[in-house]
Amino acid sequence: MDRYRVKPGSRVDLSQQDPNDKSAFPGGKREGRQQLLELNQRLEELQELLYAEHKQKVLIVLQAMDTGGKDGTIRHVFEGVNPQGVRVASFKKPTPEELDHDFLWRVYKQVPARGEIVIFNRSHYEDVLVVRVHGLAPKDLWSKRYDHINDFERILADQGTTILKFFLHIDIHEQKERLQARLDEPKKHWKFNPQDLEERKLWPKYIAAYEDAISKTSTDWAPWYVVPANRKWYRNLVVGTVIVETLQALNMRYPEPGFDPTAIHIE
Ligand code: AMP
Ligand code: MG
């Protein structure tokens, strides 16, 4: 999965990243579905181990353009995983109370505790994305946030948090199809927001903001992955594989019991 990891200090050019790429899993959709089922099972076991060991913390950040597939990724990659061990934190437009604090205040409250996996559906990155594109804060403020974010994530990493950040990369044609599907299918109407069409007009500005954010904040302690996401099955496999491989590398162990199980007889 290294091919999708953004090397610290490198400059990302999203126009050079193919959202249709399927080079890591050339098998196709059907085989991909099977591979995802296997990943789901491994993730379920690893999550249980993480919870039992009660040492590591895992933070997964999901960012994407509208219709990029954040919700679908969470649903499919974590299918079958014990809901008690995984928490999703969604970041919406900040409340007045949140706006009265610094941008990391609401984020800090949601970071994972020991034994926990937390998925950020949007994140502190909105504060250098939508905020930048819409000028919701002055440039001299948001432009400092890249450093703030790197320091913040460094603190989390130094305290035992493993951080993975995914940008689900679709192209503007794919977004059109997905928005259209939300209009065509009555069961998807609730997902359609007319405001999304206004955001769509700002596509190039968002891409520029993403390129800056990803380039400036892909670090050894909190790497970004640019995931080809036009194909949903492929996107799920890439995200699932990165998470499973990362968890495996943590070399977790079930804790030793504080008693001798063979010496205990239950009447
Ligand atoms: P959704 O994820 O579709 O429910 O939409 C959430 C909305 O909240 C998106 O339009 C985000 O851009 C917006 N949002 C999230 N975080 C922020 C933020 N820090 N400042 C302004 N808007 C935000
Ligand atoms: Mg939306």
Side-chain angles (χ1 to χ4, degrees), residues 1-230:
M1 292 296 99
D2 274 359
R3 73 187 82 190
Y4 301 126
R5 190 208 314 245
V6 178
K7 285 184 198 66
S10 70
R11 179 77 210 161
V12 176
D13 177 353
L14 288 173
S15 70
Q16 296 304 306
Q17 309 273 331
D18 180 8
N20 285 305
D21 179 39
K22 50 172 188 159
S23 57
F25 303 100
K29 190 168 175 173
R30 256 176 92 211
E31 201 179 311
R33 289 248 162 91
Q34 192 53 44
Q35 285 170 299
L36 187 63
L37 284 179
E38 284 158 30
L39 278 175
N40 289 151
Q41 278 173 17
R42 283 160 73 191
L43 192 54
E44 186 189 355
E45 290 161 21
L46 286 160
Q47 184 279 320
E48 170 145 336
L49 183 53
L50 182 103
Y51 186 82
E53 192 192 48
H54 200 71
K55 216 160 123 186
Q56 313 274 351
K57 308 153 184 170
V58 177
L59 174 60
I60 296 166
V61 172
L62 288 182
Q63 285 286 159
M65 304 290 264
D66 290 324
T67 74
K70 300 184 299 294
D71 299 320
T73 302
I74 295 170
R75 207 164 54 238
H76 291 290
V77 171
F78 287 88
E79 194 166 331
V81 176
N82 183 350
Q84 294 208 89
V86 180
R87 184 158 58 82
V88 179
S90 296
F91 293 92
K92 308 280 182 191
K93 223 168 140 259
T95 64
E97 189 191 20
E98 287 168 347
L99 282 174
D100 281 345
H101 293 80
D102 74 86
F103 78 108
L104 291 172
W105 181 71
R106 66 173 182 165
V107 180
Y108 224 136
K109 291 196 283 195
Q110 300 283 359
V111 301
R114 285 196 188 111
E116 200 178 28
I117 298 176
V118 173
I119 305 163
F120 279 4
N121 184 342
R122 302 189 191 266
S123 65
H124 42 304
Y125 284 94
E126 293 292 326
D127 292 281
V128 290
L129 295 165
V130 64
V131 167
R132 164 174 159 166
V133 168
H134 286 278
L136 302 178
K139 181 173 183 181
D140 66 351
L141 186 57
W142 60 252
S143 60
K144 292 189 185 121
R145 287 181 176 163
Y146 304 102
D147 288 339
H148 297 160
I149 287 172
N150 284 337
D151 289 344
F152 167 63
E153 292 176 350
R154 182 81 201 224
I155 294 171
L156 300 182
D158 284 349
Q159 301 283 326
T161 306
T162 298
I163 305 171
L164 295 171
K165 302 181 295 201
F166 298 98
F167 172 60
L168 310 178
H169 183 32
I170 59 165
D171 60 34
I172 194 164
H173 311 291
E174 181 67 22
Q175 189 192 51
K176 183 177 182 189
E177 309 232 318
R178 294 187 186 184
L179 286 171
Q180 190 62 49
R182 289 180 182 184
L183 291 173
D184 294 344
E185 293 174 39
K187 282 186 181 166
K188 286 190 176 173
H189 286 170
W190 68 276
K191 279 204 145 194
F192 187 84
N193 177 355
Q195 178 61 30
D196 290 349
L197 299 181
E198 297 307 312
E199 297 299 298
R200 178 172 165 80
K201 292 182 191 151
L202 299 168
W203 184 278
K205 291 200 164 126
Y206 271 104
I207 292 292
Y210 265 109
E211 286 179 339
D212 261 0
I214 294 169
S215 303
K216 289 175 196 279
T217 65
S218 197
T219 54
D220 288 326
W221 60 91
W224 274 105
Y225 290 80
V226 174
V227 180
N230 273 6

